[in-house]
Amino acid sequence: MQSMLGRICGIVVFCVVVVAPPALAKYLVRDADGGPPVEFTVMIEKVKLKESRKRVAKSGLPKPKKGHERRTFYYSGSEKRVKFERLQTATGEVLIEGIYASVDPLSTVAALVKRDDGVWGIVDIPTGTFRPLPDASWYYTSFNGAAPAVLLIGSSQPDGTFRYCFTGADGECEKWVDRVAGDISAELEDGPSGFIFQTRIVMNRLTPEGQKYSSSFDWNGNALLEKAPPVVPVHSANPKNLKQRVLHSVLYNLGPFDHPLGDYSTNLYWPMDKNGAPIEATENFKGLFPLFLANKKGETFETAGQAGGGAAGYVIVYEQDGTRTFEIAPNNKYAASVIYHNDSNYRWSDLYYKNMRNNDYFDTYRFAVKRDGRDESKAWYPVEYDDRQESLHKFLEEAWNSDEGYADPVVAIDTRYAKNTAAAKAAQDAADARYKQRKDALAALKSRGGTMSVGGDLCGAAYNFTVGRTDEASRLFFQAYYGYDGEVCRYLPTSLYSAMMQSKVVQEEQAPPPPEPENDFASAMKAWNDQLDQDRSSRQGKSLRCYVNQGKRTCYYN
């Protein structure tokens, strides 16, 4: 994946060269006559300072004012030299002489160039005519020769979005992309949302109502995916500069993952391949999410990335006949590879996070896995983490093979991290008592009827609501929930939900539901488009119910 972009300039006069050009760079450009793409070469010349001034004067280009030169200097011994770039065909025919500080070909008739005074513009190759770029942001990429080079020109709009155009062979705007979101950039802190892959560009955009989605385009500005879920970058720290983030994956954000994970909540994501296309799903693949074990308070996967969040890999989610299972792929940075080359291969029936809350700055998580086919009293096992990602392999293997275990994931985690043997035994004794209490309370909820199945957010809100309440429904739900909310969320008493409504712990309001992730990306994308385009009044035979908990609104159909 390339950064966005090869060369980046904006309204303020500045330019960043992301990758220093080699002495010889090959480009693929479009043929202005409609033929197949043509290969051009850019040669770098290092010219003596005196000779460079003669070249600029002879060319008729504006001479830069003293102190305003935008040049790249080199030294040969004590002699100062100036860099110029020359454009030529694959056979060596010179198209643009070495009089510009930078040359980036666009087509057989136009090239993006930078003059010696720092002004960027388009040169008409047949005539040599120079026209400055408009006062707007622009983005250029050569796709490393895998597709014809692209120049995008655009600017911010009054509503905070960006509008960009794909230029044609002559460097003039040809195809427009509106409402580009401006909140994510591949490598830069600021800039429009976009990612360049081998032969395509992916941008986040906004509907007029403010809902985010993504679109994919080929080098010619043709839409490959017009409306798909929004994309987010996955970063890691540069080991040579920990303050610098390195982009290694881009994921489709499928929205909130509705499976309860204890103290941790996450969205579900769908990986892209190295050309920015959604990967083809393996059997029963639902999506994945980052295996976070520590992150700064208030930061999320999208805002922190792996550099700021301490992610140790990915959790791969599968679903078959309504039953979800999980695989953990530690140390894997390229997200698309984990579903094909996961070196763990242990399949867990559930996963539970506990926030250890050991300081005010970081949330530190520990987690336990549930093993299928074990006695319920020994189903859960804690996975230790000692801040070394490579150790996760060892601890996952231990969890898979151990004959020991716990009925309660919280106790499993507490016991693993207890400071001494006495504390561990006390934790286990407490677990045994809580397990029996939970089992009895859950059985009572199942037998009493009048219950409803709810998502993790509402389930957690219901648990908080029951604290200190003495009615039977609250007491049973509180006891059944304690330590593990997974199964009890399917048996929330309707009388308890009504009490929450009356107390305004949750509030009903009309709002569209979040898109529901499907078992394959085609279904997920269809659901996303349906949710963007459908008329809300077309939903027949279902009642929309929404609740608000701690300022977060969640809706579902019942």
Side-chain angles (χ1 to χ4, degrees), residues 208-475:
E209 295 76 27
Q211 180 153 11
K212 189 182 297 183
Y213 66 99
S214 68
S215 298
S216 300
F217 304 92
D218 67 7
W219 60 272
N220 204 26
N222 298 316
L224 302 174
L225 283 176
E226 179 62 35
K227 287 183 178 179
V231 296
V232 297
V234 182
H235 292 95
S236 65
N238 182 345
K240 296 182 179 179
N241 180 3
L242 295 179
K243 293 183 179 180
Q244 182 185 30
R245 297 191 303 169
V246 178
L247 178 72
H248 57 61
S249 290
V250 181
L251 305 175
Y252 284 103
N253 183 355
L254 301 182
F257 185 35
D258 60 1
H259 189 91
L261 297 169
D263 291 336
Y264 182 63
S265 60
T266 181
N267 290 336
L268 201 61
Y269 303 90
W270 194 279
M272 292 179 170
D273 64 21
K274 291 186 177 181
N275 194 27
I279 62 165
E280 294 185 8
T282 57
E283 186 178 5
N284 304 321
F285 176 70
K286 183 86 171 177
L288 50 75
F289 62 88
L291 180 66
F292 262 120
L293 298 176
N295 65 282
K296 293 179 181 179
K297 290 184 181 296
E299 286 197 336
T300 65
F301 170 53
E302 287 87 349
T303 61
Q306 287 199 358
Y314 294 94
V315 177
I316 308 166
V317 183
Y318 300 91
E319 182 169 326
Q320 185 175 13
D321 299 329
T323 300
R324 290 174 179 166
T325 54
F326 305 84
E327 287 184 2
I328 296 173
N331 314 323
N332 219 318
K333 295 180 179 179
Y334 178 47
S337 67
V338 303
I339 66 169
Y340 304 117
H341 305 291
N342 178 18
D343 51 5
S344 172
N345 294 321
Y346 303 129
R347 190 70 65 92
W348 315 99
S349 60
D350 213 340
L351 186 67
Y352 187 95
Y353 283 85
K354 181 182 179 182
N355 189 340
M356 306 304 284
R357 296 183 174 87
N358 54 357
N359 63 54
D360 295 330
Y361 186 63
F362 274 92
D363 286 325
T364 301
Y365 296 98
R366 295 294 180 256
F367 72 101
V369 290
K370 188 175 184 181
R371 303 164 298 181
D372 202 12
R374 308 290 180 102
D375 184 271
E376 184 70 18
S377 65
K378 293 186 176 182
W380 287 93
Y381 197 89
V383 178
E384 191 170 345
Y385 182 59
D386 58 3
D387 296 325
R388 294 180 302 147
Q389 292 183 354
E390 63 271 14
S391 67
L392 277 178
H393 294 277
K394 178 182 69 175
F395 293 126
L396 288 170
E397 182 179 9
E398 174 190 319
W400 185 261
N401 294 322
S402 177
D403 293 329
E404 301 300 319
Y406 304 85
D408 189 303
V410 175
V411 176
I413 296 169
D414 288 345
T415 303
R416 171 57 68 97
Y417 290 97
K419 294 183 178 180
N420 53 56
T421 304
K425 185 178 186 306
Q428 182 61 66
D429 290 344
D432 293 340
R434 284 197 295 266
Y435 172 66
K436 184 178 185 306
Q437 183 185 63
R438 172 183 170 273
K439 188 175 181 180
D440 293 344
L442 187 60
L445 282 177
K446 291 180 179 179
S447 63
R448 77 193 304 268
T451 60
M452 58 191 289
S453 178
V454 298
D457 285 343
L458 180 55
C459 192
Y463 169 73
N464 293 331
F465 181 71
T466 61
V467 175
R469 291 176 60 89
T470 58
D471 61 283
E472 183 184 22
S474 296
R475 179 180 61 80

Side-chain angles (χ1 to χ4, degrees), residues 258 452-456 458-459 462 477 488-492 497 556:
D258 60 1
M452 58 191 289
S453 178
V454 298
L458 180 55
C459 192
F477 189 83
V488 71
C489 294
R490 297 196 290 269
Y491 300 98
L492 175 67
Y497 179 76
Y556 59 96

Side-chain angles (χ1 to χ4, degrees), residues 1-8 18-22 24-30 37-42 85 87 103-107 112 138-152 196-201 218-219:
M1 186 191 313
Q2 303 175 58
S3 64
M4 183 150 193
L5 295 157
R7 287 187 174 147
I8 304 176
V18 178
V19 180
L24 182 149
K26 293 184 178 181
Y27 295 77
L28 200 64
V29 300
R30 70 185 73 192
V38 178
E39 184 178 291
F40 280 173
T41 299
V42 172
E85 294 186 2
L87 180 65
V103 177
D104 295 302
L106 293 173
S107 70
L112 173 69
W138 58 265
Y139 293 77
Y140 175 90
T141 180
S142 67
F143 293 109
N144 289 330
V150 168
L151 174 65
L152 288 86
I196 296 227
F197 295 87
Q198 292 171 347
T199 60
R200 69 172 68 194
I201 298 173
D218 67 7
W219 60 272

